[in-house]
Amino acid sequence: MSEKKKILIRIGSLRHGGAEKVLVNFLKNLPEDKYEVDLLINLYTGMYIKEVPSWVNLFYLLKGEMITTNKPHEIPVKAFRVLYQKMFLKFPSLLYKFILKNKRYDIEIAAIHGMYKELLSSPQKDSKKIIWIQNDIFNLKEYTPDIIKQFFKFDKILVISNKLKEEMQKLAKNEKEKQAVIKIYNPIDKEDTLQKANMEINDFPFSKALPTFITVGTVYPQKGYDRLLNVHKKLINEGLNHQIIIIGDGYDFENIQAQLNQLGLQETVKMLGFRSNPYPYVKQSDFYIMSSRHEGFPTIIAEALILNKPIVSTDVSGIRDLLQDGKLGIINSNSEEGIYEGMKKILSHKELAGQYEKEIENTDLPFVLQKSVARLQEIIDEV
């Protein structure tokens, strides 16, 4: 039997995020007899750690909870973590010697775009390098064209939407760099999503009398919940009654809660905070609403499609691929006005929801686990 390919995969942590979930889904479905995988995480924390298959070797730089606020007593811990990680970035040979025990790798993978420096500084110059871009980096201020061009030092650049592929290829210097950019669908475990959605919940916050929109995601400005609340208020004032559930936590939580109170929306909007299993709430809602300013590949939209939910979304990266250019849901312009038009449309035309549900039901969804994992393996084997 041929020797197993030795792979190192790097990611920041395994807390609740789309990229983290995708990575764990991928690992759970890789054949263990074909690859030897080392997973190195900067911070050993997160709900997905327990889902990493036992045959994957798990390494970490630091242990502890993620710090998402700036409370005075947390600042020294934060500072130490940053310096500790920077040391390994400056002296990567220490990392490979002391943490990874001098192991040689055939392939090194950055499972998230933020790890590009770590991978490019690897002392193992002959290993093949792959970067997996899970976000719309062209919408992130810190990613200038000059920084993004560094990604072409990788042998393969995996992107999760046609939009990202086109943007990356525009920056390519030659045909070889263009060919390095590969679009791949994030693997979504359909069975797992359906199973989790069937679990009992006792705290669904509304009666089913009114149409209910749900949205799930970390409460950051990029998610556009501020816009969503303004639109909700406007529609209510126009007599289009409905309810909204927001699931997620994050540093913007208090601001959004304050806005909600200021607009007097306590009866029609509920912020439930983080839920490790949001799917029963999605299943019991009528529509999924995405108000994001930017996304990479909105995994939750793929899962909402698996649960057959009509979707209203801003025009962010990945959404045209997922909603098949509007065939499977409403894509509105990425603005407050756009969100307003999308929500108004689905609330005013009662027959639309049923039409979308039928379309979703009759579509062979391309991001289903087996297809994506097979494609990823092909890329790893060819590199």
Side-chain angles (χ1 to χ4, degrees):
M1 192 181 148
S2 62
E3 207 179 313
K4 289 183 184 180
K5 267 198 170 172
K6 293 181 176 58
I7 302 173
L8 173 67
I9 301 175
R10 296 202 58 179
I11 196 164
S13 78
L14 287 177
R15 70 196 291 264
H16 46 281
E20 292 80 358
K21 180 170 192 178
V22 160
L23 174 61
V24 168
N25 271 346
F26 172 55
L27 290 173
K28 280 168 63 180
N29 291 277
L30 264 191
E32 126 184 43
D33 56 351
K34 212 172 156 187
Y35 308 102
E36 191 178 313
V37 177
D38 288 1
L39 174 60
L40 171 60
I41 51 183
N42 286 358
L43 187 62
Y44 184 90
T45 186
M47 60 185 269
Y48 293 123
I49 282 183
K50 59 182 183 301
E51 291 192 38
V52 174
S54 56
W55 62 272
V56 172
N57 308 308
L58 199 51
F59 298 92
Y60 58 90
L61 302 185
L62 294 154
K63 236 182 169 155
E65 287 307 306
M66 181 78 78
I67 300 171
T68 54
T69 55
N70 280 320
K71 292 178 181 149
H73 70 279
E74 291 170 345
I75 289 168
V77 182
K78 251 180 153 171
F80 168 73
R81 285 179 182 177
V82 169
L83 290 170
Y84 188 73
Q85 290 175 33
K86 276 202 168 137
M87 172 189 76
F88 284 128
L89 196 53
K90 200 166 166 50
F91 305 107
S93 52
L94 293 178
L95 172 75
Y96 283 72
K97 185 176 177 183
F98 293 108
I99 303 233
L100 298 169
K101 315 281 185 251
N102 284 327
K103 192 160 166 186
R104 306 293 309 169
Y105 296 102
D106 301 303
I107 298 171
E108 297 185 71
I109 301 174
I112 201 161
H113 61 276
M115 304 298 290
Y116 77 97
K117 283 184 191 159
E118 281 83 346
L119 266 279
L120 291 178
S121 72
S122 163
Q124 299 195 11
K125 298 302 169 205
D126 49 353
S127 71
K128 297 290 185 191
K129 311 279 191 303
I130 297 174
I131 187 162
W132 200 344
I133 302 175
Q134 300 267 0
N135 209 327
D136 185 357
I137 49 174
F138 293 91
N139 256 316
L140 302 176
K141 283 189 193 72
E142 64 272 32
Y143 286 86
T144 60
D146 284 344
I147 286 177
I148 295 171
K149 279 176 188 163
Q150 290 187 48
F151 289 16
F152 289 104
K153 293 175 184 167
F154 285 84
D155 297 280
K156 294 283 180 221
I157 303 164
L158 309 185
V159 295
I160 47 132
S161 72
N162 286 322
K163 182 171 173 270
L164 272 174
K165 185 178 178 179
E166 284 160 23
E167 298 278 350
M168 282 303 294
Q169 288 184 330
K170 277 183 208 160
L171 292 179
K173 286 200 298 284
N174 51 42
E175 200 49 41
K176 184 176 181 257
E177 286 192 351
K178 267 190 176 162
Q179 295 297 324
V181 185
I182 300 169
K183 183 197 151 190
I184 177 156
Y185 277 106
N186 275 347
I188 311 291
D189 191 333
K190 185 178 177 179
E191 297 317 310
D192 183 58
T193 305
L194 290 169
Q195 197 183 335
K196 284 179 176 161
N198 283 331
M199 288 184 180
E200 291 268 321
I201 47 166
N202 304 315
D203 61 345
F204 192 82
F206 294 122
S207 80
K208 305 290 170 64
L210 284 179
T212 304
F213 288 87
I214 189 163
T215 187
V216 181
T218 313
V219 188
Y220 290 160
Q222 87 167 64
K223 297 293 181 187
Y225 295 145
D226 54 328
R227 311 196 285 190
L228 181 59
L229 293 183
N230 291 337
V231 167
H232 172 61
K233 174 80 171 166
K234 190 174 171 184
L235 289 167
I236 294 265
N237 289 347
E238 289 176 16
L240 284 167
N241 291 327
H242 62 287
Q243 315 166 123
I244 295 179
I245 298 171
I246 299 173
I247 292 185
D249 62 8
Y251 65 76
D252 221 20
F253 192 93
E254 266 93 43
N255 295 336
I256 298 297
Q257 187 71 59
Q259 183 187 349
L260 188 159
N261 295 338
Q262 189 196 343
L263 292 171
L265 300 172
Q266 295 88 335
E267 292 306 308
T268 52
V269 181
K270 300 290 180 203
M271 295 182 73
L272 300 189
F274 174 70
R275 291 285 185 277
S276 61
N277 179 11
Y279 307 111
Y281 301 90
V282 175
K283 188 181 176 182
Q284 290 187 37
S285 300
D286 300 293
F287 314 111
Y288 191 91
I289 175 75
M290 175 164 277
S291 53
S292 295
R293 291 179 164 91
H294 57 89
E295 285 284 338
F297 176 93
T299 307
I300 187 69
I301 293 285
E303 292 161 333
L305 286 172
I306 286 169
L307 298 176
N308 214 359
K309 289 294 144 191
I311 287 154
V312 178
S313 174
T314 47
D315 194 356
V316 288
S317 174
I319 205 73
R320 292 198 167 271
D321 307 77
L322 281 164
L323 297 185
Q324 303 192 359
D325 285 322
K327 186 179 141 202
L328 305 183
I330 296 173
I331 303 172
N332 37 254
S333 68
N334 194 342
S335 63
E336 207 163 290
E337 185 56 30
I339 299 164
Y340 166 76
E341 281 164 13
M343 289 176 76
K344 185 172 184 173
K345 188 174 175 182
I346 207 151
L347 287 170
S348 309
H349 300 89
K350 300 278 190 279
E351 75 289 350
L352 263 182
Q355 288 168 17
Y356 285 124
E357 282 166 12
K358 207 182 223 159
E359 283 290 359
I360 296 163
E361 221 168 275
N362 296 329
T363 299
D364 183 23
L365 300 170
F367 45 76
V368 174
L369 193 68
Q370 289 68 21
K371 295 179 194 172
S372 298
V373 173
R375 182 74 186 103
L376 265 167
Q377 271 184 251
E378 254 171 54
I379 293 162
I380 286 172
D381 294 343
E382 282 166 12
V383 75

